[in-house]
Protein backbone atom coordinates (compact mmCIF):
# COMPACT_ATOMS: atom_id res chain seq x y z
CA UNK A 1 0.00 0.00 0.00
CA UNK A 2 0.96 3.61 -0.39
CA UNK A 3 2.89 4.14 2.85
CA UNK A 4 1.77 7.75 2.98
CA UNK A 5 -1.94 7.10 2.54
CA UNK A 6 -3.94 7.68 5.69
CA UNK A 7 -6.47 5.19 6.99
CA UNK A 8 -9.15 7.84 6.99
CA UNK A 9 -9.17 11.01 4.94
CA UNK A 10 -10.93 12.81 7.78
CA UNK A 11 -8.41 11.61 10.30
CA UNK A 12 -5.07 11.21 8.55
CA UNK A 13 -3.47 9.96 11.77
CA UNK A 14 -6.02 7.17 12.35
CA UNK A 15 -4.45 3.72 12.14
CA UNK A 16 -5.49 1.24 9.51
CA UNK A 17 -8.30 -1.01 10.67
CA UNK A 18 -6.34 -3.96 12.06
CA UNK A 19 -8.56 -6.67 10.67
CA UNK A 20 -9.57 -4.83 7.55
CA UNK A 21 -11.09 -7.61 5.47
CA UNK A 22 -9.15 -8.39 2.39
CA UNK A 23 -5.77 -7.47 3.85
CA UNK A 24 -3.07 -10.13 4.08
CA UNK A 25 -4.00 -12.69 6.68
CA UNK A 26 -7.74 -12.22 6.35
CA UNK A 27 -8.27 -13.10 2.75
CA UNK A 28 -8.44 -16.83 3.25
CA UNK A 29 -11.37 -16.71 5.61
CA UNK A 30 -13.66 -14.27 3.84
CA UNK A 31 -15.69 -14.76 0.71
CA UNK A 32 -15.58 -12.34 -2.20
CA UNK A 33 -19.06 -11.01 -1.36
CA UNK A 34 -17.87 -10.03 2.10
CA UNK A 35 -14.60 -8.56 0.89
CA UNK A 36 -16.20 -6.29 -1.70
CA UNK A 37 -18.63 -4.66 0.73
CA UNK A 38 -15.79 -3.70 3.08
CA UNK A 39 -13.01 -3.13 0.56
CA UNK A 40 -11.06 0.04 1.21
CA UNK A 41 -13.27 1.28 4.06
CA UNK A 42 -11.41 3.38 6.62
CA UNK A 43 -11.52 3.02 10.38
CA UNK A 44 -15.06 4.06 11.36
CA UNK A 45 -15.54 7.56 12.73
CA UNK A 46 -18.61 8.23 14.95
CA UNK A 47 -21.39 10.11 13.19
CA UNK A 48 -19.68 9.79 9.82
CA UNK A 49 -20.66 7.54 6.89
CA UNK A 50 -18.84 4.21 6.45
CA UNK A 51 -17.62 5.38 3.06
CA UNK A 52 -16.64 9.05 3.38
CA UNK A 53 -18.09 11.28 0.68
CA UNK A 54 -16.06 12.59 -2.25
CA UNK A 55 -13.40 15.18 -1.43
CA UNK A 56 -13.48 18.02 -3.94
CA UNK A 57 -10.18 19.82 -3.83
CA UNK A 58 -7.81 21.24 -6.40
CA UNK A 59 -5.37 21.94 -3.55
CA UNK A 60 -5.16 21.30 0.20
CA UNK A 61 -4.11 23.42 3.15
CA UNK A 62 -0.38 23.06 3.12
CA UNK A 63 1.47 25.19 5.64
CA UNK A 64 5.25 25.01 5.73
CA UNK A 65 7.19 22.37 3.85
CA UNK A 66 5.21 20.83 0.98
CA UNK A 67 5.05 17.22 2.17
CA UNK A 68 2.39 14.63 1.23
CA UNK A 69 0.18 12.85 0.98
CA UNK A 70 -2.20 15.66 -0.03
CA UNK A 71 -0.63 18.69 -1.63
CA UNK A 72 -2.10 19.42 -5.05
CA UNK A 73 -5.14 17.82 -6.68
CA UNK A 74 -3.31 16.21 -9.60
CA UNK A 75 -0.97 14.34 -7.24
CA UNK A 76 -3.37 12.57 -4.88
CA UNK A 77 -6.88 12.83 -3.49
CA UNK A 78 -8.34 11.14 -0.37
CA UNK A 79 -11.25 9.70 -2.38
CA UNK A 80 -8.78 8.10 -4.80
CA UNK A 81 -6.77 6.75 -1.88
CA UNK A 82 -9.73 4.80 -0.52
CA UNK A 83 -10.70 3.51 -3.98
CA UNK A 84 -7.10 2.54 -4.74
CA UNK A 85 -6.92 0.68 -1.47
CA UNK A 86 -10.21 -1.13 -2.20
CA UNK A 87 -9.13 -2.23 -5.67
CA UNK A 88 -5.74 -3.38 -4.34
CA UNK A 89 -7.51 -5.61 -1.82
CA UNK A 90 -9.40 -7.26 -4.67
CA UNK A 91 -6.51 -7.48 -7.15
CA UNK A 92 -4.07 -9.01 -4.68
CA UNK A 93 -5.62 -10.23 -1.42
CA UNK A 94 -2.63 -12.34 -0.44
CA UNK A 95 0.14 -9.85 -0.98
CA UNK A 96 0.40 -6.07 -0.97
CA UNK A 97 0.02 -4.26 -4.24
CA UNK A 98 -0.55 -0.64 -5.17
CA UNK A 99 -3.25 0.66 -7.42
CA UNK A 100 -3.25 3.90 -9.36
CA UNK A 101 -6.62 5.14 -10.64
CA UNK A 102 -7.04 7.03 -13.89
CA UNK A 103 -9.70 9.01 -15.72
CA UNK A 104 -10.40 6.10 -18.12
CA UNK A 105 -9.24 2.67 -19.15
CA UNK A 106 -7.30 4.16 -22.05
CA UNK A 107 -5.50 6.52 -19.65
CA UNK A 108 -4.46 3.45 -17.60
CA UNK A 109 -3.33 1.52 -20.69
CA UNK A 110 -1.35 4.50 -22.00
CA UNK A 111 0.25 4.98 -18.58
CA UNK A 112 1.73 1.48 -18.63
CA UNK A 113 2.83 1.40 -22.26
CA UNK A 114 4.10 4.96 -22.52
CA UNK A 115 5.88 4.94 -19.15
CA UNK A 116 7.65 1.64 -19.74
CA UNK A 117 8.92 1.67 -23.31
CA UNK A 118 11.44 3.86 -25.06
CA UNK A 119 12.59 4.36 -28.64
CA UNK A 120 14.31 1.21 -29.86
CA UNK A 121 12.31 -1.12 -27.54
CA UNK A 122 9.99 -3.79 -28.90
CA UNK A 123 6.52 -4.51 -27.49
CA UNK A 124 4.17 -7.38 -28.22
CA UNK A 125 0.46 -6.54 -28.46
CA UNK A 126 -2.60 -8.63 -29.36
CA UNK A 127 -4.03 -7.88 -32.80
CA UNK A 128 -7.56 -8.67 -31.58
CA UNK A 129 -7.66 -6.56 -28.42
CA UNK A 130 -9.68 -3.49 -27.55
CA UNK A 131 -10.19 -1.27 -30.60
CA UNK A 132 -8.49 1.84 -29.23
CA UNK A 133 -5.31 -0.14 -28.53
CA UNK A 134 -4.59 0.57 -32.20
CA UNK A 135 -4.29 4.28 -31.33
CA UNK A 136 -1.60 3.53 -28.72
CA UNK A 137 0.09 1.32 -31.26
CA UNK A 138 0.27 4.23 -33.72
CA UNK A 139 1.75 6.45 -31.02
CA UNK A 140 4.34 3.86 -30.03
CA UNK A 141 5.40 3.39 -33.63
CA UNK A 142 5.69 7.16 -34.08
CA UNK A 143 7.98 7.26 -31.02
CA UNK A 144 10.29 4.68 -32.54
CA UNK A 145 9.05 1.60 -30.70
CA UNK A 146 8.83 -1.66 -32.62
CA UNK A 147 5.29 -3.06 -32.27
CA UNK A 148 4.74 -6.76 -32.94
CA UNK A 149 1.23 -8.22 -32.98
CA UNK A 150 -0.36 -11.68 -32.93
CA UNK A 151 -3.79 -13.07 -32.03
CA UNK A 152 -4.76 -13.91 -28.44
CA UNK A 153 -5.81 -17.52 -29.11
CA UNK A 154 -3.22 -20.27 -28.85
CA UNK A 155 -0.73 -18.04 -27.00
CA UNK A 156 0.46 -16.89 -30.43
CA UNK A 157 2.11 -13.80 -28.93
CA UNK A 158 4.79 -16.02 -27.31
CA UNK A 159 6.57 -16.47 -30.63
CA UNK A 160 7.20 -12.71 -30.86
CA UNK A 161 8.87 -12.36 -27.47
CA UNK A 162 12.60 -12.60 -28.23
CA UNK A 163 14.18 -9.24 -27.43
CA UNK A 164 10.87 -7.62 -26.38
CA UNK A 165 10.60 -5.24 -23.44
CA UNK A 166 6.91 -5.71 -22.69
CA UNK A 167 4.16 -8.20 -23.47
CA UNK A 168 0.59 -6.88 -23.46
CA UNK A 169 -2.20 -9.44 -23.03
CA UNK A 170 -5.96 -9.01 -23.09
CA UNK A 171 -7.81 -12.11 -21.91
CA UNK A 172 -10.63 -12.78 -22.53
CA UNK A 173 -10.20 -10.42 -25.45
CA UNK A 174 -12.85 -8.00 -26.57
CA UNK A 175 -14.92 -8.62 -28.66
CA UNK A 176 -13.73 -12.04 -29.91
CA UNK A 177 -13.60 -13.69 -26.44
CA UNK A 178 -10.47 -15.70 -27.14
CA UNK A 179 -8.30 -16.51 -24.13
CA UNK A 180 -4.57 -16.98 -23.62
CA UNK A 181 -2.71 -18.78 -20.84
CA UNK A 182 -1.37 -16.01 -18.59
CA UNK A 183 0.91 -18.28 -16.49
CA UNK A 184 2.47 -19.81 -19.56
CA UNK A 185 3.03 -16.48 -21.29
CA UNK A 186 4.47 -14.94 -18.12
CA UNK A 187 7.02 -17.79 -17.96
CA UNK A 188 7.92 -17.24 -21.62
CA UNK A 189 8.24 -13.47 -21.07
CA UNK A 190 10.41 -13.94 -17.96
CA UNK A 191 12.78 -16.09 -19.99
CA UNK A 192 13.19 -13.13 -22.36
CA UNK A 193 13.37 -10.52 -19.60
CA UNK A 194 10.09 -8.91 -20.69
CA UNK A 195 7.47 -7.33 -18.44
CA UNK A 196 3.87 -8.55 -18.70
CA UNK A 197 0.71 -6.45 -18.51
CA UNK A 198 -2.80 -7.91 -18.64
CA UNK A 199 -5.92 -5.99 -19.60
CA UNK A 200 -8.35 -7.59 -17.14
CA UNK A 201 -11.36 -5.42 -17.98
CA UNK A 202 -13.70 -8.20 -19.03
CA UNK A 203 -13.01 -10.52 -16.10
CA UNK A 204 -12.77 -7.95 -13.25
CA UNK A 205 -10.53 -8.88 -10.28
CA UNK A 206 -13.25 -11.20 -8.98
CA UNK A 207 -13.06 -13.23 -12.18
CA UNK A 208 -9.29 -13.27 -12.67
CA UNK A 209 -6.24 -12.03 -10.76
CA UNK A 210 -3.41 -11.36 -13.20
CA UNK A 211 -0.90 -10.47 -10.46
CA UNK A 212 -1.37 -13.88 -8.83
CA UNK A 213 -0.86 -15.46 -12.24
CA UNK A 214 2.52 -13.71 -12.43
CA UNK A 215 1.81 -10.53 -14.41
CA UNK A 216 3.61 -7.29 -13.50
CA UNK A 217 0.62 -5.04 -14.26
CA UNK A 218 -3.09 -5.70 -13.93
CA UNK A 219 -4.82 -3.02 -15.97
CA UNK A 220 -8.56 -2.40 -16.32
CA UNK A 221 -11.15 -0.06 -17.59
CA UNK A 222 -13.42 0.64 -14.64
CA UNK A 223 -16.01 1.95 -17.07
CA UNK A 224 -17.28 -1.57 -17.71
CA UNK A 225 -18.15 -4.36 -15.28
CA UNK A 226 -16.04 -3.11 -12.38
CA UNK A 227 -18.37 -0.16 -11.73
CA UNK A 228 -21.24 -1.71 -13.68
CA UNK A 229 -23.79 1.07 -13.96
CA UNK A 230 -22.71 2.71 -17.21
CA UNK A 231 -22.37 6.10 -15.54
CA UNK A 232 -18.64 6.65 -15.02
CA UNK A 233 -15.41 6.45 -17.00
CA UNK A 234 -12.50 5.17 -14.96
CA UNK A 235 -9.37 3.03 -15.20
CA UNK A 236 -6.70 1.56 -12.96
CA UNK A 237 -3.30 -0.07 -12.89
CA UNK A 238 -2.27 -2.42 -10.05
CA UNK A 239 1.31 -3.62 -9.48
CA UNK A 240 3.26 -5.32 -6.72
CA UNK A 241 6.69 -3.91 -7.57
CA UNK A 242 7.08 -0.43 -6.01
CA UNK A 243 9.30 0.82 -8.85
CA UNK A 244 6.60 -0.02 -11.41
CA UNK A 245 3.97 1.78 -9.32
CA UNK A 246 6.29 4.77 -9.06
CA UNK A 247 6.64 4.92 -12.85
CA UNK A 248 2.88 4.67 -13.37
CA UNK A 249 2.22 7.42 -10.77
CA UNK A 250 4.85 9.61 -12.35
CA UNK A 251 3.08 9.15 -15.69
CA UNK A 252 -0.26 10.15 -14.12
CA UNK A 253 1.38 13.32 -12.83
CA UNK A 254 2.89 13.95 -16.26
CA UNK A 255 -0.13 13.29 -18.46
CA UNK A 256 -2.62 14.45 -15.85
CA UNK A 257 -5.36 11.95 -16.75
CA UNK A 258 -6.78 12.00 -13.23
CA UNK A 259 -10.27 10.80 -12.30
CA UNK A 260 -12.83 13.14 -10.77
CA UNK A 261 -13.61 12.68 -7.05
CA UNK A 262 -17.29 12.05 -7.81
CA UNK A 263 -16.45 9.30 -10.32
CA UNK A 264 -14.02 7.76 -7.86
CA UNK A 265 -16.58 7.77 -5.08
CA UNK A 266 -19.30 6.28 -7.31
CA UNK A 267 -16.87 3.54 -8.31
CA UNK A 268 -16.05 2.71 -4.71
CA UNK A 269 -19.72 2.63 -3.78
CA UNK A 270 -20.42 0.34 -6.76
CA UNK A 271 -17.75 -2.17 -5.73
CA UNK A 272 -20.00 -3.33 -2.89
CA UNK A 273 -22.27 -5.08 -5.40
CA UNK A 274 -19.49 -6.42 -7.63
CA UNK A 275 -19.83 -10.03 -6.49
CA UNK A 276 -23.61 -9.99 -6.92
CA UNK A 277 -23.30 -8.41 -10.35
CA UNK A 278 -20.55 -10.59 -11.80
CA UNK A 279 -22.17 -13.80 -10.60
CA UNK A 280 -25.59 -12.84 -11.94
CA UNK A 281 -24.08 -11.66 -15.24
CA UNK A 282 -22.03 -14.84 -15.66
CA UNK A 283 -25.10 -17.01 -15.03
CA UNK A 284 -27.17 -14.95 -17.47
CA UNK A 285 -24.44 -15.01 -20.12
CA UNK A 286 -24.17 -18.79 -19.94
CA UNK A 287 -27.96 -19.19 -20.19
CA UNK A 288 -28.06 -16.86 -23.18
CA UNK A 289 -25.14 -18.59 -24.93
CA UNK A 290 -26.85 -21.96 -24.50
CA UNK A 291 -30.14 -20.62 -25.88
CA UNK A 292 -28.38 -19.06 -28.89
CA UNK A 293 -26.74 -22.38 -29.68
CA UNK A 294 -30.20 -23.84 -30.38
CA UNK A 295 -30.97 -21.35 -33.15
CA UNK A 296 -30.15 -22.36 -36.73
CA UNK A 297 -29.68 -18.75 -37.92
CA UNK A 298 -27.07 -18.04 -35.21
CA UNK A 299 -23.45 -19.06 -35.80
CA UNK A 300 -20.15 -18.58 -33.99
CA UNK A 301 -21.57 -18.36 -30.46
CA UNK A 302 -18.67 -17.58 -28.14
CA UNK A 303 -18.59 -17.45 -24.35
CA UNK A 304 -15.66 -18.78 -22.30
CA UNK A 305 -18.08 -20.48 -19.88
CA UNK A 306 -19.51 -22.83 -22.53
CA UNK A 307 -17.87 -26.20 -21.79
CA UNK A 308 -17.06 -26.81 -25.47
CA UNK A 309 -15.93 -23.26 -26.26
CA UNK A 310 -12.35 -23.22 -27.63
CA UNK A 311 -11.40 -20.87 -24.76
CA UNK A 312 -12.97 -22.90 -21.97
CA UNK A 313 -10.11 -25.19 -20.92
CA UNK A 314 -7.63 -22.34 -20.35
CA UNK A 315 -10.31 -20.02 -18.95
CA UNK A 316 -11.27 -22.66 -16.39
CA UNK A 317 -7.69 -22.94 -15.17
CA UNK A 318 -7.08 -19.24 -14.70
CA UNK A 319 -10.48 -17.62 -14.15
CA UNK A 320 -12.22 -17.77 -10.79
CA UNK A 321 -15.45 -19.23 -9.45
CA UNK A 322 -17.18 -19.75 -12.80
CA UNK A 323 -17.00 -16.02 -13.50
CA UNK A 324 -16.43 -16.02 -17.22
CA UNK A 325 -17.78 -12.54 -17.78
CA UNK A 326 -20.94 -10.92 -19.07
CA UNK A 327 -20.20 -10.91 -22.80
CA UNK A 328 -21.57 -13.32 -25.39
CA UNK A 329 -20.67 -12.87 -29.03
CA UNK A 330 -22.40 -14.44 -32.03
CA UNK A 331 -23.10 -13.87 -35.69
CA UNK A 332 -26.35 -13.42 -37.60
CA UNK A 333 -26.48 -14.07 -41.37
CA UNK A 334 -25.94 -10.46 -42.45
CA UNK A 335 -26.05 -6.83 -41.42
CA UNK A 336 -29.78 -6.36 -42.16
CA UNK A 337 -30.68 -9.45 -40.12
CA UNK A 338 -28.57 -8.18 -37.21
CA UNK A 339 -30.17 -4.73 -37.36
CA UNK A 340 -33.68 -6.23 -37.39
CA UNK A 341 -32.76 -8.35 -34.36
CA UNK A 342 -31.37 -5.40 -32.40
CA UNK A 343 -34.40 -3.29 -33.27
CA UNK A 344 -36.80 -5.99 -32.05
CA UNK A 345 -35.24 -6.42 -28.57
CA UNK A 346 -37.33 -4.91 -25.78
CA UNK A 347 -35.27 -5.57 -22.65
CA UNK A 348 -31.90 -4.86 -24.23
CA UNK A 349 -30.60 -1.41 -25.15
CA UNK A 350 -28.70 -1.01 -28.41
CA UNK A 351 -25.49 0.50 -27.07
CA UNK A 352 -21.76 -0.03 -27.00
CA UNK A 353 -19.67 -0.81 -23.90
CA UNK A 354 -20.42 -3.77 -21.63
CA UNK A 355 -20.62 -4.85 -18.02
CA UNK A 356 -23.60 -2.73 -16.97
CA UNK A 357 -26.59 -3.80 -14.90
CA UNK A 358 -28.85 -3.34 -17.95
CA UNK A 359 -28.23 -5.63 -20.91
CA UNK A 360 -26.90 -4.01 -24.07
CA UNK A 361 -26.06 -5.30 -27.52
CA UNK A 362 -24.61 -3.89 -30.70
CA UNK A 363 -23.55 -4.82 -34.19
CA UNK A 364 -19.87 -4.49 -33.67
CA UNK A 365 -19.07 -3.98 -37.36
CA UNK A 366 -20.72 -0.54 -37.25
CA UNK A 367 -17.50 0.88 -35.76
CA UNK A 368 -15.32 -0.49 -38.51
CA UNK A 369 -12.26 -1.32 -36.38
CA UNK A 370 -12.66 -4.99 -35.46
CA UNK A 371 -12.09 -7.86 -37.88
CA UNK A 372 -15.61 -9.26 -37.46
CA UNK A 373 -18.41 -10.30 -39.88
CA UNK A 374 -21.15 -7.78 -40.73
CA UNK A 375 -23.72 -9.71 -38.69
CA UNK A 376 -21.46 -10.01 -35.59
CA UNK A 377 -23.23 -9.08 -32.34
CA UNK A 378 -21.54 -8.31 -29.04
CA UNK A 379 -24.08 -8.88 -26.30
CA UNK A 380 -23.49 -7.71 -22.74
CA UNK A 381 -25.68 -9.49 -20.23
CA UNK A 382 -26.97 -7.38 -17.35
CA UNK A 383 -28.45 -8.50 -14.06
CA UNK A 384 -31.99 -9.14 -15.34
CA UNK A 385 -33.59 -12.52 -14.69
CA UNK A 386 -31.99 -14.80 -17.29
CA UNK A 387 -35.33 -16.37 -18.26
CA UNK A 388 -36.75 -12.95 -19.21
CA UNK A 389 -33.67 -12.09 -21.20
CA UNK A 390 -33.61 -15.39 -23.08
CA UNK A 391 -37.32 -15.03 -23.88
CA UNK A 392 -36.75 -11.51 -25.22
CA UNK A 393 -33.85 -12.68 -27.39
CA UNK A 394 -35.84 -15.63 -28.76
CA UNK A 395 -38.75 -13.34 -29.59
CA UNK A 396 -36.46 -10.81 -31.31
CA UNK A 397 -34.79 -13.57 -33.32
CA UNK A 398 -38.22 -14.80 -34.44
CA UNK A 399 -39.19 -11.28 -35.44
CA UNK A 400 -35.93 -10.72 -37.34
CA UNK A 401 -36.04 -14.06 -39.20
C1 LIG B 1 -13.48 -0.28 -22.80
C2 LIG B 1 -12.18 -0.99 -22.75
C3 LIG B 1 -11.00 -0.27 -22.60
C4 LIG B 1 -10.97 1.24 -22.55
O1 LIG B 1 -11.60 1.75 -21.44
P1 LIG B 1 -12.17 3.25 -21.37
O2 LIG B 1 -12.60 3.37 -19.96
O3 LIG B 1 -13.30 3.33 -22.36
O4 LIG B 1 -11.07 4.16 -21.74
C5 LIG B 1 -9.83 -0.99 -22.54
N1 LIG B 1 -9.80 -2.32 -22.61
C6 LIG B 1 -10.93 -3.05 -22.77
C7 LIG B 1 -10.83 -4.53 -22.85
C8 LIG B 1 -12.16 -2.40 -22.85
O5 LIG B 1 -13.26 -3.13 -23.02
Amino acid sequence: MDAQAPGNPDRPDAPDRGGNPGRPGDHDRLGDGTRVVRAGLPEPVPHRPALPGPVFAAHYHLPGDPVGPYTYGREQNPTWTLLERAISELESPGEDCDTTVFASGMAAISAVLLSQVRAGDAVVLPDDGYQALALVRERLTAYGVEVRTAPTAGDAQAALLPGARLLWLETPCNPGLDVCDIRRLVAAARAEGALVAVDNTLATPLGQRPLELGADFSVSSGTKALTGHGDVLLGHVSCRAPELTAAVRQWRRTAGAVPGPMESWLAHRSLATLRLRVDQQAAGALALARALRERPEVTGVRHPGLPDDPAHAVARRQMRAGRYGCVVSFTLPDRAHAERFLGALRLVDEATSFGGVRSTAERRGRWGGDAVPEGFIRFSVGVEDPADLVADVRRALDAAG
Side-chain angles (χ1 to χ4, degrees):
M1 301 306 303
D2 186 342
Q4 290 187 305
N8 187 308
D10 292 328
R11 290 198 331 194
D13 53 341
D16 225 346
R17 176 197 299 264
N20 195 8
R23 298 319 303 145
D26 280 338
H27 67 284
D28 286 340
R29 359 180 229 105
L30 296 171
D32 287 342
T34 311
R35 294 189 315 105
V36 291
V37 300
R38 303 221 65 92
L41 294 188
E43 181 77 11
V45 178
H47 317 299
R48 294 289 177 88
L51 176 63
V55 174
F56 298 97
H59 53 84
Y60 306 89
H61 288 297
L62 190 63
D65 290 336
V67 289
Y70 302 114
T71 55
Y72 182 64
R74 183 166 25 77
E75 303 279 321
Q76 201 31 282
N77 171 294
T79 310
W80 305 349
T81 302
L82 296 181
L83 176 62
E84 289 175 339
R85 184 170 294 187
I87 295 173
S88 294
E89 290 175 14
L90 305 181
E91 289 278 0
S92 180
E95 207 174 306
D96 270 352
C97 81
D98 274 307
T99 295
T100 306
V101 288
F102 286 89
S104 68
M106 284 312 296
I109 289 173
S110 305
V112 172
L113 283 163
L114 298 176
S115 73
Q116 291 302 318
V117 303
R118 302 186 162 45
D121 285 346
V123 299
V124 181
L125 304 181
D127 62 15
D128 48 7
Y130 182 63
Q131 258 193 9
L133 200 53
L135 301 174
V136 187
R137 176 182 173 175
E138 262 174 46
R139 211 38 14 233
L140 289 169
T141 307
Y143 288 160
V145 174
E146 183 200 338
V147 178
R148 307 169 182 171
T149 63
T152 299
D155 302 344
Q157 289 171 268
L160 306 181
L161 277 170
R165 157 95 182 136
L166 191 142
L167 169 64
W168 188 273
L169 307 175
E170 183 181 315
T171 181
C173 68
N174 166 28
L177 301 179
D178 277 317
V179 158
C180 59
D181 187 331
I182 299 175
R183 278 191 203 87
R184 195 178 150 234
L185 285 160
V186 164
R190 290 278 172 273
E192 296 291 338
L195 293 165
V196 180
V198 178
D199 183 331
N200 200 39
T201 300
L202 202 139
T204 84
L206 292 197
Q208 181 168 270
R209 294 181 189 149
L211 300 179
E212 280 182 4
L213 299 168
D216 300 286
F217 303 92
S218 178
V219 186
S220 274
S221 167
T223 311
K224 315 288 170 60
L226 189 70
T227 63
H229 290 70
D231 51 12
V232 294
L233 280 119
L234 208 77
H236 76 263
V237 178
S238 301
C239 338
R240 286 177 174 169
E243 67 277 11
L244 297 182
T245 295
V248 167
R249 294 214 162 184
Q250 183 69 357
W251 179 266
R252 184 172 66 180
R253 250 174 239 134
T254 309
V258 295
M262 191 67 198
E263 284 74 8
S264 305
W265 183 84
L266 280 170
H268 198 159
R269 165 207 199 250
S270 301
L271 283 183
T273 55
L274 183 60
R275 206 274 291 161
L276 292 170
R277 288 186 281 108
V278 294
D279 282 348
Q280 178 72 21
Q281 287 172 325
L286 192 56
L288 176 66
R290 290 204 158 111
L292 288 167
R293 279 271 178 88
E294 294 161 9
R295 302 287 303 209
E297 74 273 46
V298 174
T299 53
V301 178
R302 292 295 306 269
H303 178 68
L306 284 170
D308 57 349
D309 188 277
H312 186 68
V314 178
R316 223 183 120 185
R317 282 204 299 277
Q318 70 190 10
M319 297 184 78
R320 304 179 59 246
R323 297 179 186 133
Y324 297 109
C326 59
V327 180
V328 178
S329 60
F330 57 97
T331 302
L332 288 170
D334 54 38
R335 171 178 176 163
H337 200 127
E339 286 172 348
R340 286 197 303 275
F341 165 70
L342 292 169
L345 290 165
R346 288 183 192 143
L347 299 179
V348 182
D349 296 329
E350 186 171 349
T352 194
S353 198
F354 61 84
V357 290
R358 285 174 284 276
S359 291
T360 59
E362 71 170 333
R363 196 179 66 81
R364 195 61 189 167
R366 65 182 175 161
W367 296 98
D370 300 311
V372 292
E374 284 292 321
F376 181 97
I377 304 279
R378 185 181 68 183
F379 197 115
S380 170
V381 175
V383 299
E384 300 90 350
D385 292 338
D388 292 337
L389 209 55
V390 166
D392 193 43
V393 166
R394 284 197 175 119
R395 197 194 39 72
L397 284 171
D398 289 342

